[in-house]
Structures are given as structure tokens and as C-alpha cells.
Amino acid sequence: MRFLEGLTNRMGIAGELLQFFLNHKWWWLTPMILVLLIFGLLIVFAQSSAIAPFIYTLF
């Protein structure tokens, strides 16, 4: 448990959010937020790259 506390202290806001989920038994919500974050990053980075037409075919 001490490892998790040290990890959340170093991660800042994301660590606090993770600690909140663990304390309030909302661990099931973490994968959904991670998937949304990955999709958001994919869209942001794909807008200005040469692989944008290939990524748009996924959606």
C-alpha cells in the first residue's frame, strides 16, 4: 500500500484521481477513463500527421 501512496504522490492530479477511485471503490471506472483518454490522444495526434487518413478509416 505504501507503494501506491508514493506513486500517487508523484503523479499529481492523475494520482489523486486514481487514489479517489480506489478509496471510493470506483475501480471499475478506471478502464473507461483510460480508453477515453487514449481515443482523445489518438484524435489529437492524428490530425497533424501523415497517417490521419488511415486512422479515420477506423471510425
Side-chain angles (χ1 to χ4, degrees), residues 1-25:
M1 194 55 93
R2 180 171 276 184
F3 171 75
L4 286 175
E5 290 176 6
L7 185 64
T8 56
N9 287 337
R10 284 179 280 176
M11 289 177 56
I13 293 174
E16 289 182 22
L17 184 64
L18 182 62
Q19 189 175 17
F20 176 78
F21 286 162
L22 291 174
N23 288 340
H24 291 282
K25 308 276 192 262

Side-chain angles (χ1 to χ4, degrees), residues 14 17 30-45:
L17 184 64
T30 305
M32 287 185 267
I33 290 177
L34 288 176
V35 167
L36 287 174
L37 182 66
I38 289 171
F39 277 136
L41 290 174
L42 180 67
I43 289 171
V44 167
F45 287 124

